[in-house]
Amino acid sequence: MDRAEPEPFFSVLGAVRVRSGEVPLPLGSPQQRALLAMLLLRRNDVVELDEIVDGLWGEEPPRTAVGTVRSHVYRLRRALGTRIATHGQGYLLHIAPGALDLDVFDELVAGARTRTSAEETGEAAELLARALTLWHGPPLAGLPGPYAAIHRERLSELRLSVLLERIELDLRLGRHARLVPELTGLCAEHPLHGRLRELAGLALAGSGRTAPTAHDGQPARAHRPGPPSVPGAPPAPDEPHVSPDDAAHPPPAPSSLPRPAQLPCPPDHLIGRTEAVAGLLDALTTPRPGSPAIVAVTGTGGVGKSALTVHVAQRLRDHYPDGQLYASLRGTSGNPADPGTVLAGFLQALGTQEPDIPRAAHERAALFRTIVADRRILLVLDDARDTAQVDALLPGTPACAVLVTGRSTLDGLPTVRRVRLEPLAVPDALAVLGAVAGTQRIAAEPDQAAALAERCGGLPLALRLAGARLAARPSWTPSDVVRLLDGSHPAFPTLPPFSVFPAPAGSQDGVSACIGPGYDLLEDEEARLLRLLALPRRGATDIAGAAAIGGLPPARAGEFLERLTGLGLLESPCPGVYRQYPLLRMFAAERSREQDRPEERAAALTRFLDHLLAEARTVHAAERPGHHVLGLLPADTCTGRPDSRRRLVDPDHDGALAAAAQILDAVPSAVAVAADLALAVEPLLEGSYLWADSLEPLRRVLGTAQEQGHLRAVGRAGHVLGSALAHLGRPDEADRILDTAEHAARAVGDDAVHTAILDRRAHVCQYRAHWHQADALHRQAVHAAEAYGSDWACRNARANRVSTLLRLSRREEAAETSRTTLASAVDARDHGAEAYALYNLGLTARHLGRIDEAVDRHRQSAELGVRIGSPAMEAMNLVSETAAQLAGNRLPDAVECGERAVAATRLLRWHTAEVRALRLLGRALAAAGDGRSARTRLEQAAEALALSGTSPHPPAPLLSPDVPSPRV
């Protein structure tokens, strides 16, 4: 062992702590500290690995227990050096004499007993009192596992026995009056302890006091507050005797009490919290009988809880004229504030002299409540770990109020209001950047400034750090800082964060200093899951997705997700869904690069991609019943979950395709799964018309498939990419991609995909007005579907042929095909195909001049589209109903329906359909005599046409009264 290392001092008489001089050493998660406690209590002796596993987990350890123990030991060695030695399958912790508080305690107690034997009572009592000051809360506080539970009970009994020894010595010394409040509290804490009741009776009798009788109207009074009576003690007279000891320390008169003003300096400006400030001010100034107003402000690290509460508390100084008390509870540190120590500070601030502050925490709490009972005082308790840490600090009367902040939800607090702070919206985030860096610099690059605000996740701490970096470098621009936040650099190297207290000396960066302590509180498995969740850059996941990423049972993953959410490291926008704040994701991703092996990260991503495919296959089976392009599923899984439908394709939260493309960068060999995933989400892309958002990830999947030489994946990814390009009005590029995909599908005999490609190439021919060629391709698709036996593919190819038949003036054939596909869809319970067949019947009816029937069919189809969650189906029916109303010269109805069609197509960013809707609406307005509005709509149509990226003179289908179908 390196003797040059400074010898730390270890504590187990309370929370497990280690200090090197005055500096606390980081000890990690509660389980890691529980392991350290085992080594400390068996100091200088070997603790076998099996004993450690049993002590931490009991009879049912996880299969990863041994690895977790070794990981804990590795991290403890980083803090403690070579003091932890390996001996075979066990570990030994070297402790110098006097370096553990329990050893010091035992030595003082032994010395006291020697003095007692020599009848040196005063010195013995003093030594025992010194020994008891080493305790700073319940022993081994907050540690999990059966070993900690057993020794917590043993040590608690040891403390109580020594405390009784000290009390007995104090009684011998005649300190009866001084002992009354202490014994009163102890009797309340241990109501069945006979020896305590005996000692309490002796103290009361020796001080000339007795407990009040049941019919007495007033409680017995002492110079320190406590419960009104001691169990088992005799009754007391109405006016208790006041001993000289009491008279020497009377409670201070209210008028003589100091008025503390402990609030930190408020932030120079608070942006974007107007509603929260108003709510807090209301809650803390509205009179409420019975109990103090307690308000909790919670949220993730760096979201601005401290700044908000200090701002509000400063505004309330006049409303609480008797003082403002402030304490940082250090809840996210490895060394949270001891409530008894905080109470001692409060009591001193309120005028209690140090010798008069009780030793026991519950006595301090009682005295504190007595002193503030009739005073209007505001308490600000910042960074609370949990409800238990706060309980002892709460006043008991309604004149006072409490503002508590914490990352956990603090569910157990009896609050009158809870405020969950969320990251700032972009306008407010830009205002924060401008306030720190200068509004002109932010206004000079609005897009880059918005990107910087997004990279900072809307967290005020990160925004101020980014603004400070800009302010310190006049030649820099927001784009320079954005480049620093691309994930290849530490987020914010050494900058002083805005905080009530500065970041710890030597912290690597302000954001890490804020997030890191909360991360260090996690157990190994929780921390591992948090790190792995950051690997797929996806905004949200559910329990099943998290379980896949972590390789965990769903129930276990759910427990971890809830704890991470409670600690403010995740948010849960709705039940069962969880997501990481952007900067927390960056932090977790950096930790994963440091702590997780590359193969473990790759395995997590592969599991997640498999999960996405399984989820998408279930939805695909529900959307396209009987179409087994992705293989058969068990019957009971073929119902798509509404919550998963949106998350699979949501561009705002990095849908499945974006996740797949990113995963392929790390695991290119997973390309077959990614291509199947693209095929599986195709129905959702067409139903929501999210083709534009799919282009980039589809290109990456196709490119990886070509690099890997995986022909099946080339055919599948190429088909979906070609479909996207065709829908977006880019026929030339679509044709090239589809040609490549068709050759690949044919080469590997992927008949289902080959059939779909034939149908899509017919769509491209429709766009180019090559109607006979389109009809031939549709017929080939029908024959191919029949050959490999897919009723769905047959039904779909026939339905897609209807618009071509109408263009070829084969209206009766189009009507018959539509009726046939409708009957087939109803029999198969294929609601998507049913809606599409109704749409086709509407088109056919209009071409046959049956306007009422056309309108009715389009409305039926639109309503069914809404029910099945297909906004694209609703939009295309609104456009075609507008055409039908216009064809029937029903101008008011045409205008009303046209306005709805424009709104629906804009919502989907379906520009070609929007152009058609605007032109129809312009014609209807012109026919109704509103030339000005008609011109406006036609000008908007020209703008939408430019957005669509198509030719200024689009081909016939775009100009026709029909909208090209979004169906495959």
Side-chain angles (χ1 to χ4, degrees), residues 151-398:
H151 286 273
R152 187 179 298 117
E153 183 176 353
R154 177 182 70 81
L155 291 171
S156 297
E157 292 175 356
L158 172 64
R159 178 186 181 277
L160 184 58
S161 68
V162 172
L163 180 59
L164 289 174
E165 285 186 52
R166 197 222 78 218
I167 291 171
E168 290 171 351
L169 292 175
D170 282 343
L171 286 172
R172 290 189 205 175
L173 294 168
R175 298 168 178 169
H176 300 79
R178 184 188 302 177
L179 291 170
V180 169
E182 182 179 8
L183 282 164
T184 299
L186 286 170
C187 286
E189 187 176 347
H190 305 279
L192 302 179
H193 200 291
R195 183 56 180 157
L196 276 174
R197 291 200 302 273
E198 292 174 13
L199 294 174
L202 291 172
L204 284 167
S207 63
R209 309 179 185 196
T210 55
T213 61
H215 59 271
D216 287 334
Q218 302 295 327
R221 290 177 294 179
H223 78 284
R224 290 176 186 163
S229 64
V230 176
D238 288 341
E239 292 297 329
H241 168 74
V242 179
S243 72
D245 185 55
D246 291 332
H249 302 284
S255 60
S256 67
L257 292 173
R259 296 179 178 179
Q262 296 184 339
L263 295 177
C265 177
D268 51 356
H269 40 253
L270 190 73
I271 294 171
R273 302 300 190 193
T274 305
E275 185 176 344
V277 169
L280 292 176
L281 291 174
D282 175 69
L284 294 168
T285 55
T286 301
R288 287 179 175 83
S291 60
I294 303 172
V295 174
V297 179
T298 61
T300 190
V303 80
K305 302 181 295 295
S306 298
L308 173 66
T309 52
V310 170
H311 171 84
V312 169
Q314 290 283 12
R315 289 181 59 174
L316 291 171
R317 290 172 67 93
D318 293 340
H319 195 79
Y320 293 93
D322 294 322
Q324 304 85 39
L325 295 168
Y326 176 90
S328 173
L329 301 185
R330 305 192 305 275
T332 51
S333 75
N335 182 29
D338 173 58
T341 304
V342 174
L343 284 168
F346 284 171
L347 290 171
Q348 285 184 302
L350 292 166
T352 306
Q353 298 300 311
E354 186 173 355
D356 295 327
I357 296 175
R359 293 189 182 94
H362 66 272
E363 289 185 54
R364 293 177 179 181
L367 180 57
F368 171 69
R369 288 192 292 269
T370 299
I371 291 175
V372 303
D374 298 319
R375 307 182 70 197
R376 297 187 61 79
I377 289 179
L378 177 65
L379 281 76
V380 177
L381 306 176
D382 196 19
D383 192 19
R385 171 165 289 191
D386 50 33
T387 303
Q389 191 186 27
V390 174
D391 280 342
L393 308 177
L394 299 178
T397 53

Side-chain angles (χ1 to χ4, degrees), residues 434-459:
V436 180
T439 55
Q440 291 184 342
R441 296 176 73 184
I442 300 305
E445 278 192 345
D447 292 341
Q448 288 299 308
L452 177 55
E454 183 181 357
R455 296 291 179 89
C456 291
L459 296 178

Side-chain angles (χ1 to χ4, degrees), residues 106 127 220 277 293 335 558 700 776 807:
D106 289 340
L127 286 174
V277 169
N335 182 29
R700 290 168 68 184
R807 281 294 175 176

